[in-house]
Amino acid sequence: MTVIEERPAPSAAPPPRRTNGLWALLRNSWRQLTSMRTALVLLFLLAIAAIPGSVFPQRGVNAERVTQYYQQHPDLAPVLERLGGFEVYASPWFASIYLLLFTSLIGCVVPRLIDHVRALRMAPPDAPKRLERLPQHAADLTRADAPAEVARSLAAGLRRRRFRTKVREHEDGVWTVSAEKGFLKETGNLLFHFSLLAVLIGVGFGHWYGWHANRLLVGGPDQGFCNTLTQYDDSTLGPRVHPADLPNFCLRLTDFDATFQSTGQPKTFLATVQLTQDNGPAETRRFTVNDPLRLGDANVYLLGHGYAPVLKFTDRYGVAQTKVVPFLPIDGMQTSEGVAQFPDVNIDPKTDKRDPTLQMGFEGRYLPTSPTDGSATSAFPAENNPMLYLTAYRGDLGLDVGTPGSVYSLDQGQLATGELKNVSGTRPHALKLGDTWTLDDGTKLEFVGTREFATLSIRHDPAQGLLLVGAVVGLLGLMLSLAGHRRRVWFRVRPDADLPGPAAAGGGSVVTAGGLPRTDYPGFPEEFKALVKAAEEGTP
């Protein structure tokens, strides 16, 4: 009789695990963002994104150069403005890279820190069974001492060489010594990355709670200013800073000493100011380009230097007005351009009304040292032969329409429509110091003299100390990461009755050694040989 064995039907395969597609996408995206490769790519992108900030003038550092760039590149400047080229470090695209790098570093460094702390607390691993398979190994080293004494002696010698050691006893009287060294490399890596995080936090904190402003300060008792937003040429406050939080101080430029090399390159700039803080007594302070004026809650930096012609205009009714007009340098020899506008002139004394078609504007160029060949650029930045070239315009200056405009150029729209007309001819009129120019309607313009001005940047950054500490710690961490080398060394000590040794121990010991560099370390073979020689000779 045939017996048919019934076998149970195979169990059905388990249903496939259903995963949430959105969750999987977020998890994989987070893993990619927090990888070291992504952090390096973002750091590289941040460096590239910072390049425009060093190529194009930045409004927060020197607004005058932004104005000059507009004059020199009228077509390109508006495009750069829309792209944030003049405020690179405050642009949305720079901030996005900055935040992504910050997030990537946190997600990358924190797990590494946890693993590093865990590795520091763990004992070195036990010796592998086949030490001869390691990159560095040595066998059949004989010692006359017992295995336990040899193992303890080896451990003591390794500790004197700053190795972390662990001695273990095994069956059959075998002892192993595990040693590890080079944790400073990972410590340096972590210090460097955490210092980079500190720098990023400092930059963000400084943006939130810091402020900066620029001021072109002309010398003279009538040209001082106090630390209020209305008296700055431009200013930027952090989101957490209120105008009432600004420190109370006033500055007045009393003297400016500039020296130049024979080639015209600036040699020294020294500004002397009269300072008043918190309505206290005035004091005289001096500062230079590399030595800012430090006021506790603000630092005053000296950025540039130039000249402001003093012009006296006498209208057709004999009323005189004097203005100090800064001219902005356009080259290294202090060739400067600017505008003098006199809107409140030619007022009829009988009616006390102003005719807007009789306003006066003068546009031109100032040369501190006029060359003998008659060229339109200065030959030297110091005032050796000052000359002022001006073109006179009469008409409506366009200042009453309420549209903000530049104080360093005339309204081009008024010139294009004919509301403002040239009344001096095709060539600019040349004026030396003390010269008077009589125009076609009898009005006069006198070149009285010049005053020097200083371009100042006033800044408050509450995170300066954090940035300094971050930079120093980052440099220290980088040095440690480059100098440290992770490596492990093992010794296996077994008894051998055939070797001469203490009678109580039953003979001597045979030592086998092996070494493994955890990082690329060209000097490890020599170090391992020195350790093996010391182990064989019984020296520390």
Side-chain angles (χ1 to χ4, degrees), residues 67-256:
T67 304
Q68 295 176 16
Y69 196 89
Y70 263 91
Q71 296 173 354
Q72 298 170 1
H73 306 86
D75 297 329
L76 179 60
V79 178
L80 292 176
E81 185 72 55
R82 289 192 294 270
L83 296 176
F86 300 126
E87 292 179 316
V88 169
Y89 308 111
S91 61
W93 49 270
F94 189 87
S96 62
I97 300 175
Y98 173 89
L99 293 176
L100 285 175
L101 176 61
F102 185 80
T103 306
S104 178
L105 284 174
I106 291 180
C108 178
V109 173
V110 171
R112 286 182 60 181
L113 176 62
I114 296 174
D115 293 340
H116 185 56
V117 173
R118 186 181 295 113
L120 289 174
R121 298 179 61 183
M122 293 176 60
D126 198 2
K129 295 182 179 180
R130 306 291 296 272
L131 291 177
E132 66 273 8
R133 293 184 177 181
L134 297 178
Q136 301 294 327
H137 63 276
D140 300 332
L141 307 177
T142 60
R143 291 281 298 272
D145 299 325
E149 296 298 328
V150 173
R152 295 189 185 98
S153 174
L154 290 174
L158 290 169
R159 282 193 293 269
R160 280 191 287 269
R161 296 172 182 262
R162 297 191 297 275
F163 277 87
R164 298 172 62 245
T165 62
K166 177 67 175 180
V167 180
R168 297 177 175 91
E169 182 181 7
H170 299 269
E171 298 177 356
D172 302 330
V174 175
W175 291 72
T176 58
V177 179
S178 304
E180 193 170 12
K181 188 178 182 180
F183 285 94
L184 286 179
K185 183 177 184 64
E186 182 65 11
T187 303
N189 280 328
L190 291 173
L191 281 177
F192 176 77
H193 287 90
F194 274 107
S195 67
L196 185 58
L197 281 174
V199 170
L200 293 177
I201 293 173
V203 171
F205 188 83
H207 172 71
W208 277 79
Y209 293 94
W211 58 270
H212 62 86
N214 295 317
R215 168 74 188 217
L216 190 151
L217 183 58
V218 182
D222 57 336
Q223 298 290 327
F225 78 98
C226 293
N227 188 31
T228 57
L229 297 184
T230 57
Q231 298 193 30
Y232 284 118
D233 298 329
D234 64 272
S235 59
T236 302
L237 300 183
R240 301 295 184 182
V241 180
H242 191 270
D245 299 332
L246 299 182
N248 182 15
F249 67 86
C250 299
L251 286 179
R252 181 167 62 86
L253 183 64
T254 58
D255 187 29
F256 194 97

Side-chain angles (χ1 to χ4, degrees), residues 226-297:
C226 293
N227 188 31
T228 57
L229 297 184
T230 57
Q231 298 193 30
Y232 284 118
D233 298 329
D234 64 272
S235 59
T236 302
L237 300 183
R240 301 295 184 182
V241 180
H242 191 270
D245 299 332
L246 299 182
N248 182 15
F249 67 86
C250 299
L251 286 179
R252 181 167 62 86
L253 183 64
T254 58
D255 187 29
F256 194 97
D257 183 23
T259 60
F260 304 91
Q261 299 178 3
S262 59
T263 58
Q265 294 294 324
K267 189 176 181 180
T268 60
F269 284 167
L270 176 62
T272 304
V273 296
Q274 188 178 74
L275 169 66
T276 303
Q277 299 187 76
D278 298 324
N279 300 321
E283 56 179 319
T284 300
R285 302 282 289 274
R286 294 177 176 85
F287 60 102
T288 62
V289 174
N290 296 321
D291 184 18
L293 177 62
R294 304 189 183 277
L295 304 179
D297 291 335

